[in-house]
Amino acid sequence: MSLAQYGFQKLVLLNSAGYSRAELPLDDSVSIIAPNNTGKTSLINALQFLLILDKRHMDFGAHSVENSRRFYFPDNSAYILLEVLLPSGMAVIGCVGKGLSHDYEYFAYQGSLDLDDYRLDDGKLVAQPKLIGRLFERGKPAKIYPQADLRALLYGNRQKQRSDDPDLTIFPLEFTSQAATYQRILTRTLRLDRLDSREVKNYLLEIFKNDLQDRSVDFKSEWDKSFADVNYDKSQYDTVFRNKALIAAMEDSQQTRLALRGKIILWRPLIEKGLNDWEDYNNSASEQLRQRLRALDEEAEALENRQKTIYKDQAKVETALKDQKKIELRYQELNIQFQFVSDLAQLQTQRQVLQEQRDELVRSIGNAEQQQSPEAIKRNIAKISKEQTDLHRQLASLNNNLYLQLQKLLPTDSFDLLTRLLAKSVLSLPVAQGNAVELNDQTTFRSFAEKLEERLSANRLELPGLLLDLSALEPNLTIKTAQELEAEINDCEHQLTESNNLLKTVETLTQQKQRQQEMERRITELERDVKNYEELLSLQAGASERLQAIEDLEQKLKALEREESVLGEQKKTIVQTQEIHKADQKELQSQHQRINYARHQRIDQLPPFNFLDQLPNLPCMAAAELAMPSLADCIESYNRDCQKLKQIDDQLNQHLGELHRDGVSKFQAQDSAEQELNSLFNYTAQLSQEQEAIERKARSAVVQVAAILRDLRDSLETFKRRMREFNNKINRRQLSDLKVFKIEPREEEALVKAIQTLISTSEQVESGNSFDLFDHNAVLDDKDLNKAKDTLIAEGEARGGLRVEHLFRLVFIIAKENQTPAEFEDIDSAASNGTVLMAKLITGLAMLNQMQDPRKAIKTACYLDEAASLDQRNQRNLIEIAEEFGFTLIFASPEPQITARYCVPIGTTKGKNHISRLNWQILETISDVGNQP
Amino acid sequence: MTIDFAALTQLQPLFKLLSSGAHLNRLKDTELWVELENHQNHYEALFAALGFVLIVDGRGFAYFKTELASTYTGKLTRRLALLLMLLFEYQADQGLHLFQFQQWRLDTPLLGKLWQQYYALFEAEEINSPKTLKEILDSASRVGFLVFEDEVYRLLPAVHRYLDLFEELAQAERPDHDHIKDEAKEDIL
Ligand SMILES: Nc1ncnc2c1ncn2[C@@H]1O[C@H](COP(=O)(O)OP(=O)(O)OP(=O)(O)O)[C@@H](O)[C@H]1O
Ligand SMILES: [Mg+2]
């Protein structure tokens, strides 16, 4: 060990941390020896005030910085002093309490540390206000430094130093920007048992910071930034695509709208003019119609009158004709009737003959009418015939009849009686055997007659029970003689003939009367015939005239009929014309109404119609002419067009609004909705090109994002390289019994892979020949890419930005001799306490060394508490490794560690700790002793 | 150590997930994972106070270590162990690197092939059809060993636990490592 080695020489505490005075050598390894809770750790911690300076980085374990200030700077004569040999010479850095509120301040000067400089002659310590003066007196022009300035001095930050300041760089860092990290590690190094793997990672990252792309990548915002356009375009594209049907319909509507506008522009002045002219037109047209109707009415009336006349004439002619025809018919009938009559005389002769015959008959009938009735005559004839028959019988039975027999046989009285009693015919009956009257016993009969006579008295015949007055009875038969009888018979004969003739006459009288009547009838007939014949003759005379008259009448009738039918036609025509005119009138009225209504319905005074010609339109090429009769139709259709235009306006606006709400915003920047629509239609027409453009953009966005990720990945590679170097550094000597001790980064597979996916996609895109590698040839739809993106976004969001340290974790790889290396995440679990302690220390020192400027090695100190846990071999090893990294080791333990060069026990007097040079025990190997000057 | 509850913003979801016996996976539950990473000490201490041993594995998963296993989880563990072991064997035979298991796609054809090759072993465990394999994977998905997306299963980092176990078992095969066998029986769930 050469004296000339730059670095810490000793640490001195005066009236601080429970020490009245402590002098600790730091130019070589030290073993501080004291029982627990004496002040070993607090002694070493005092260095923090000088080396860390920044209170925020100081670490006093369980003690707060506040308490520590009180502990280290109880009053204004408390000192922490460090002597250090620098290339510019020996220098002292000090920290003195200010008393008030345990504050302190820094000072430094060039020169060696002489405790007498701080002690007054009376043995008291110099108080802070007098310190600079005192040092100056002692030939050591010290300067007070604000904390930041001293820090700049110690860490070689030249920019922050004043030129007249001495070079007090204790920690010549390669990058002064790493001072904070260095300090933090240094703090830890003082208390290495606390160093954990996470800190190791953080420190290593800070150490290698300058080699790494140290920016935090806000991947999501980078992605969003790069893809903002793409995503926007894509969303526009998607929305438009989704709404293609609607947009097509809108385009149709727009086309219709342009045409409608053209049409309305064309028609508007015509309608205007038409409406102006309408009143006049309407008046004149309706007047004309009225007049025409009136004329027609008159005409119709005239026709009517004429027709009436015709009807009357017709009736007259018809009657006349009928009459003539009747006469003619009569003539024809008569002609037939008298077909066989040659002249009138013939008929008159016939009538004469007949009249004479009738007169004859009338006479004979008059005769017959004097006589009885035929019935009386017939009765008379019958009576006479009977009388004649009686007479004949009387004549025949004149000898033999009952009367005679009785006359012969009976007395007169009896005879008389019986002739009265018996009927004449009975008396006239012949008596003979087998006849009606048989006289079988004349005697008996005579007796009977006598007996019967006896019953008679005074013409009264008394029979048992019956009394007959005979006086009223005539004697029935008086016997006539044959001559008398024959005369009587002749009489009867004559009377009979007479009566029969009479009967005949009387009986034919009815017939005769009938015959007379017949004759009378025939005479009347003949008289009529005569009259008729006379009529025939007169008719015959007028026949030709009559036929002429009939023909004339028929002609006339026909003429009348013809005229009448013509009149009917004319009337029909007039009625039709009237109807037409009335319809026209009605139509005109309705048009007038419609026009008035439509006039009020007009909306073309309101926007947008009042500036329609300034809006895009399709000029209407159709010839437009407005005839007044079609004004109503025109204005109505015009109004309808206006309505329709308004409707389309509304509808298009509404649809556009819908599209806006659905997210179509790309074209909203256009000056007008109309232009927006046009742009939209153009865009829609070129969707496939748009898609390609989006795809192109997406690819360049991927390239852009990938560039940022590439930095990250490169940083990771660099870090891995640095770690290999770092492992070499800590493996220069074997650590404990470890064959392998490495700290290796392990990639977070998924993240690195995601980054790789993006980068390789980007490379493929850049090389431009591998579109077919993507699903559907589209970057935007690439599944792996999207997954990678999502992974990175999730990670970035969870961690508030992607950094290189998120891409790996550190593992400690440890293996003893004959063991396969094992990975440990937590260094504490990797091996035994002692080994872990060593590993930590070496790692920490290596890290510090890594930061130091290798050209300006200045040896500083580090601290191993509880050093007893290391065996001597390891202690020695550690001392050497620390040495190599530019550190002297300070062991602290209740027992002395003989591997150290100095053994420094802490003494206590009057409750105060103290260490003086005199207590230092220097341990030297034999060879070392030999080498001592 | 004083635990700052206000800082532990994800305590509730974390505890809910872990105490259900599920595994927290770095990739699947990034936010929770980062939270755990940032406040690991605090969470460990807090959960320890509640009687749970939080294990955070740097390979990207975390879980509560349990000694006791219900019969259900015991059965699932056993079946999943068998399935994964055979899967690893099969994939190794295909020349795939086991540590890249997170990139494997466990789709129906692959499960079919597994079934074809090892049905005898599966049936011994009363796994009677490829459908049951899927059921096992579904159950395992619920406790964070797998994730099912895009119609395929993917193994999550938590499967390292099984892989570690298999390695230990493999080492235990060697005669001088008999004692590891017993340790390896610890229930993973
Ligand atoms: N920063 C500090 N502020 C206030 N008091 C402190 C501080 N550091 C140490 N002390 C006090 O100083 C005394 C000595 O503690 P220290 O840690 O230095 O003992 P030690 O010798 O290191 O003990 P051990 O062998 O147990 O480590 C203790 O009473 C402690 O409370
Ligand atoms: Mg101590």
Side-chain angles (χ1 to χ4, degrees), chain A residues 209-247:
Chain A
K209 197 149 105 180
N210 290 338
D211 290 345
L212 305 178
Q213 266 291 332
D214 185 43
R215 59 190 263 239
S216 158
V217 176
D218 184 345
F219 182 73
K220 184 168 172 8
S221 91
E222 290 294 343
W223 179 279
D224 289 349
K225 202 166 68 195
S226 301
F227 276 88
D229 268 8
V230 181
N231 286 334
Y232 177 73
D233 287 356
K234 179 86 164 85
S235 81
Q236 295 300 300
Y237 172 85
D238 286 346
T239 320
V240 168
F241 188 84
R242 203 167 46 240
N243 288 294
K244 238 158 76 175
L246 175 66
I247 293 169

Side-chain angles (χ1 to χ4, degrees), chain A residues 163-181:
Chain A
S163 54
D164 57 338
D165 280 332
D167 183 358
L168 294 180
T169 307
I170 297 174
F171 306 108
L173 301 186
E174 216 168 349
F175 306 98
T176 47
S177 59
Q178 288 182 337
T181 310

Side-chain angles (χ1 to χ4, degrees), chain A residues 724-762:
Chain A
R724 276 196 293 279
E725 289 162 15
F726 185 77
N727 280 327
N728 285 340
K729 187 193 281 276
I730 57 177
N731 272 295
R732 254 180 255 159
R733 256 168 220 272
Q734 186 170 355
L735 228 162
S736 182
D737 60 344
L738 299 182
K739 185 189 72 181
V740 182
F741 173 67
K742 282 193 292 187
I743 306 172
E744 276 193 356
R746 286 273 172 274
E747 288 181 0
E748 295 293 356
E749 223 179 305
L751 291 182
V752 175
K753 205 176 143 241
I755 290 174
Q756 195 50 46
T757 301
L758 277 159
I759 290 173
S760 67
T761 303
S762 142

Side-chain angles (χ1 to χ4, degrees), chain A residues 37 40-42 863 865-866 892:
Chain A
N37 197 25
K40 303 184 289 290
T41 306
S42 38
Y863 175 50
D865 228 339
E866 322 309 336

